[in-house]
Amino acid sequence: MDSLLIKGGVPLHGEVTISGAKNAVLPIMAATLLTAEPCVIRRVPDLSDVKFMGQILMSLGAQVKFEGDTLRVHAAKVRGVGDYDLIRKMRGSICIMGPLLARLKQATVSLPGGCIIGARPINLHLKGFEALGAKITVEGGYVRAKARRLTGADLFLGGRAGSTVLGTANVMMAATLAEGVTIIESAACEPEVVDLANFLTAMGAKITGAGSPTITVTGVKALHGAEHEVIPDRIEAATFALAAAATDGEVTLRGARPDHMHAVLDKLHDAGVQVERRGTALNVRRNGRLKPVDITTLPYAGFPTDAQAQMMVLMAVTPGISIITERIFESRFMHVSELARLGADIEIEGPSAIVKGGRPLSGAPVMASDLRASAALVIAGLAARGKTLVNRVYHLDRGYENIDGKLRQLGARIERKEET
Ligand code: EPU
């Protein structure tokens, strides 16, 4: 298992190119199962989650070929039963269920189970499939959806924490081949859902309203092959912006989409970080002294839960008190105890973290627990004096393309080591 050794205290400077979005490409890869024709996906990030999804598609019978950042998938014939262990390992794999159900009228996958950031149920996905006419059974750790035919329906997908991103993706994909019109209310509005809808539309699907809480899908008989370029990763862009601000550096994000980042950019502005558009790039640097800001994570267009841990690090180096409230996942504060090892003063009170910022951070060995917590630890290590060893870097490799290489390019002293 690799780890990252960071010698901190160096401000980041330079330019970095933002990769394709992990959370857009995973459902788009699943969507290729909807057609027997070849599909081409561009700006595919080199991530372990993406390779893993490729393996899942192959296990279902598809041909999968990676050529640089282009991915070709040809699912001429597919099986409706996913490999139990492959699917169980990655939460994002649940979104193969909608396409399989649409194409084969049945799908059997292992239950994705919980993960370190919370319980992560799939009740809303299943509610959507049922509304389209599928019967759901759970047996031996597998969940099975089966229908004689799928029929369009009006359905409400809101849950405990608001909308569901992959639930919306799954039901939208299932509805593309249903008979009649499906209206999804309380749909997720995330840019990744819009990107998927754009790919499905290129495949011949009839979808309106993606990006709003009401998505309408008019079923068609069949979908065809299509080409698509994945949107840039707004969470990777936010992560580099926060790393630039936390280290008091200046970084230009090439290819970022500020129109997908309003909530993050707004909070950066309030915190005293200047983000300037320069053509298709964003230039990020501090604008005088940092100021504490309160943050609550919410579904899009609110502040993204996937940038909460990284924002907490900026607040930890900002003099004053800030309150960070997590409303999407119930236990997404695993980074707090690790940040304490670097000297951060953070207390958890129910769904909120109270950050008493401004204490100098100093390097320490820390353990990454999930993808975004790991990114936060890396930023903290970059901002801290001395050496930080971030263990279990495989979490980072799931969702950040070449993160150590990109950071080195910005002047960070960071090296990858084999864990002993
Ligand atoms: N929820 C339910 N029932 C469901 C589905 C979700 O109650 O059937 C709840 C969840 O427990 C959570 C909330 O709804 O409280 C939102 O979860 P959502 O379904 O939106 O999450 P997801 O679709 O499983 C995606 C991303 C996550 C990201 C969330 C929220 C992918 C592959 N994953 O997960 O990304 O945090 O949306 O934006 O797209 C990450 O990249 O680090 C990551 C965890």
Side-chain angles (χ1 to χ4, degrees):
M1 252 187 276
D2 291 356
S3 55
L4 289 177
L5 178 66
I6 302 167
K7 292 180 189 152
V10 182
L12 299 184
H13 277 282
E15 293 195 351
V16 66
T17 300
I18 301 307
S19 301
K22 168 181 85 83
N23 291 346
V25 76
L26 295 175
I28 286 172
M29 287 173 76
T32 62
L33 296 170
L34 282 162
T35 176
E37 294 182 13
C39 293
V40 182
I41 310 169
R42 303 195 193 279
R43 202 196 271 140
V44 174
D46 183 9
L47 304 173
S48 59
D49 268 10
V50 167
K51 293 204 185 95
F52 197 63
M53 187 60 131
Q55 282 175 28
I56 291 173
L57 298 183
M58 282 193 275
S59 80
L60 293 166
Q63 285 173 16
V64 175
K65 205 165 163 201
F66 289 96
E67 292 162 357
D69 70 352
T70 298
L71 169 65
R72 293 171 198 280
V73 183
H74 189 185
K77 281 205 178 123
V78 283
R79 279 188 284 283
V81 184
D83 180 281
Y84 188 93
D85 287 319
L86 272 180
I87 292 171
R88 204 169 48 119
K89 278 191 212 148
M90 184 176 71
R91 165 84 195 175
S93 60
I94 190 66
C95 56
I96 62 171
M97 205 168 175
L100 289 177
L101 180 62
R103 181 150 163 204
L104 305 172
K105 305 290 172 278
Q106 58 171 308
T108 306
V109 302
S110 44
L111 275 166
C115 71
I116 196 94
I117 64 174
R120 310 195 73 177
I122 57 163
N123 57 311
L124 298 170
H125 303 231
L126 302 181
K127 177 183 171 187
F129 297 148
E130 270 177 336
L132 298 178
K135 271 212 159 359
I136 309 290
T137 48
V138 178
E139 218 183 299
Y142 283 97
V143 56
R144 183 164 198 228
K146 197 169 185 217
R148 268 200 296 140
R149 56 184 201 145
L150 293 179
T151 316
D154 285 9
L155 54 103
F156 177 78
L157 272 194
R160 184 187 65 79
S163 51
T164 160
V165 177
L166 291 176
T168 301
N170 237 339
V171 176
M172 184 165 74
M173 289 191 279
T176 56
L177 297 178
E179 286 168 36
V181 177
T182 297
I183 299 176
I184 307 172
E185 295 290 359
S186 194
C189 303
E190 270 70 2
E192 293 75 18
V193 171
V194 179
D195 206 33
L196 172 65
N198 288 340
F199 178 54
L200 293 169
T201 304
M203 295 172 81
K206 300 235 170 313
I207 300 172
T208 57
S212 82
T214 306
I215 296 179
T216 304
V217 185
T218 305
V220 295
K221 286 239 161 342
L223 295 178
H224 51 73
E227 280 200 38
H228 182 77
E229 184 174 279
V230 175
I231 53 169
D233 196 312
R234 64 194 167 101
I235 304 300
E236 188 199 16
T239 302
F240 278 102
L242 287 160
T247 60
D248 199 5
E250 179 169 357
V251 169
T252 300
L253 311 171
R254 266 193 311 241
R257 287 275 303 259
D259 53 322
H260 293 166
M261 298 173 67
H262 288 298
V264 170
L265 298 184
D266 190 54
K267 288 296 176 187
L268 282 172
H269 175 265
D270 292 351
V273 180
Q274 179 181 301
V275 182
E276 217 180 291
R277 285 188 196 208
R278 292 192 183 158
T280 56
L282 286 180
N283 179 266
V284 184
R285 65 188 161 92
R286 283 190 197 173
N287 184 16
R289 285 166 65 92
L290 291 175
K291 288 168 272 184
V293 288
D294 295 340
I295 281 153
T296 300
T297 65
L298 289 168
Y300 193 80
F303 193 91
T305 173
D306 292 345
Q308 176 258 109
Q310 304 91 309
M311 188 73 195
M312 193 180 288
V313 177
L314 183 65
M315 290 301 98
V317 299
T318 301
I321 294 180
S322 59
I323 299 176
I324 298 185
T325 304
E326 174 58 54
R327 291 268 177 235
I328 306 295
F329 293 113
E330 65 266 36
S331 46
R332 206 172 197 183
F333 282 141
M334 303 299 288
H335 40 285
V336 169
S337 53
E338 296 304 293
L339 290 174
R341 294 183 200 277
L342 278 75
D345 186 352
I346 305 169
E347 263 173 52
I348 299 177
E349 275 290 330
S352 297
I354 300 160
V355 186
K356 295 175 191 152
R359 280 207 194 172
L361 301 183
S362 65
V366 288
M367 189 74 85
S369 55
D370 73 83
L371 171 57
R372 308 304 172 185
S374 315
L377 294 176
V378 169
I379 299 175
L382 292 168
R385 270 181 296 109
K387 288 184 191 171
T388 295
L389 185 69
V390 182
N391 290 303
R392 298 200 183 160
V393 171
Y394 61 86
H395 288 295
L396 272 173
D397 295 334
R398 288 187 38 218
Y400 288 93
E401 182 172 55
N402 184 24
I403 185 160
D404 39 328
K406 286 187 178 186
L407 286 169
R408 257 193 307 279
Q409 202 183 309
L410 296 173
R413 290 179 297 177
I414 180 167
E415 23 168 331
R416 192 172 276 256
K417 290 194 165 308
E418 286 287 320
E419 205 161 83
T420 47

